Amino acid sequence: MGAKTVLVVDDEPELLELVVTYLRKESYRALIADNGADALKRIEQDAVDLVILDVMMEGMDGFHVCERIRQKHSLPVIMLTARGNEADKVRGLKTGADDYMVKPFSPKELMARVEAALRRANMDKIRGRRLVFGELELDQDGRAVTVAGSLISLTRREYELLLFLAENAGRAFSREHLFERVWTDTAASSLRTVDTHIKTLRLKLNGAGRFIETVWGVGYKFGGSE
């Protein structure tokens, strides 16, 4: 299997060195980035298994970086911050972080959390990538969608739109965000295509179409509940 790769993102050289030293002692392969933009590039260029991400950085902060990561990747993210107030912790978790540690922290505890996050991620892969909401089921490995056991025929765009909403159940997204996320390889469409695809999805999913909710003044979200 080889050593797991951990990307450490922080603009404090001393902290970078400390965390990298402990990671290598635990036989992890450690990569570093001292800003958000470089971190996103490293994730695209390398097979990163987990990210340790500082919140307070110049330019793009950790919250924004985490949101960008979650748009394309499901790898674990552990956020670090010097601010321990509850609002920041809640914001970090809502942006997609898997764990949250306040500075100063114990390097040994951080290593334990890294191990735990990687173990959870590995178990998720073993179980298979399957999302189930009542009678609606999305099999990501087979790119198949069923409602009450019946296979639903979806176009590639319809499937990607449904999958993105389902993976982010409970979060409301604007038409602009959905368009940029799903229609990444074309400039030939307009924002109205989002509404058209939502309408078609609801019709094809029949009763399960209720999961795709309109959020007035914002856009759409996946309800994810009965």
Side-chain angles (χ1 to χ4, degrees), residues 125-173:
K125 290 179 181 179
I126 292 173
R127 283 193 292 265
R129 299 186 303 159
R130 196 176 291 266
L131 299 173
V132 180
F133 304 92
E135 73 273 33
L136 174 63
E137 183 170 325
L138 288 80
D139 178 357
Q140 296 180 67
D141 293 323
R143 291 181 67 86
V145 177
T146 57
V147 174
S150 298
L151 185 65
I152 305 299
S153 177
L154 300 179
T155 66
R156 180 168 71 92
R157 301 289 189 199
E158 290 167 351
Y159 173 81
E160 290 174 353
L161 178 58
L162 176 62
L163 177 62
F164 178 74
L165 288 169
E167 286 182 323
N168 296 275
R171 291 184 59 190
F173 294 97

Side-chain angles (χ1 to χ4, degrees), residues 56-75:
M56 302 302 295
M57 295 185 292
E58 292 292 331
M60 190 186 308
D61 67 22
F63 296 126
H64 190 191
V65 175
C66 190
E67 287 177 342
R68 292 280 299 276
I69 291 172
R70 281 291 168 261
Q71 289 174 9
K72 299 176 67 175
H73 305 280
S74 59
L75 54 87

Side-chain angles (χ1 to χ4, degrees), residues 7-13 16 31-40 42 53-54 56-60 65:
L7 173 63
V8 187
V9 189
D10 202 301
D11 56 6
E12 297 179 36
L16 275 176
L31 304 176
I32 64 172
D34 60 8
N35 63 75
D38 283 347
L40 294 172
R42 294 304 298 263
L53 176 63
D54 184 38
M56 302 302 295
M57 295 185 292
E58 292 292 331
M60 190 186 308
V65 175

Side-chain angles (χ1 to χ4, degrees), residues 8-119:
V8 187
V9 189
D10 202 301
D11 56 6
E12 297 179 36
E14 297 82 4
L15 188 140
L16 275 176
E17 183 179 358
L18 174 66
V19 175
V20 167
T21 297
Y22 271 84
L23 284 168
R24 289 174 177 164
K25 282 177 61 178
E26 297 295 326
S27 300
Y28 293 109
R29 176 173 175 252
L31 304 176
I32 64 172
D34 60 8
N35 63 75
D38 283 347
L40 294 172
K41 289 180 183 177
R42 294 304 298 263
I43 291 171
E44 295 303 321
Q45 295 170 355
D46 216 310
V48 176
D49 296 296
L50 180 143
V51 179
I52 297 174
L53 176 63
D54 184 38
V55 170
M56 302 302 295
M57 295 185 292
E58 292 292 331
M60 190 186 308
D61 67 22
F63 296 126
H64 190 191
V65 175
C66 190
E67 287 177 342
R68 292 280 299 276
I69 291 172
R70 281 291 168 261
Q71 289 174 9
K72 299 176 67 175
H73 305 280
S74 59
L75 54 87
V77 176
I78 298 176
M79 298 192 82
L80 306 177
T81 183
R83 304 189 305 189
N85 63 73
E86 184 179 20
D88 278 354
K89 183 175 182 179
V90 170
R91 183 182 176 189
L93 296 173
K94 282 188 174 181
T95 57
D98 297 87
D99 206 345
Y100 199 96
M101 292 191 70
V102 177
K103 301 177 184 178
F105 54 84
S106 161
K108 290 184 178 180
E109 181 183 355
L110 176 60
M111 294 305 103
R113 295 197 186 198
V114 167
E115 181 182 354
L118 288 170
R119 185 167 56 246

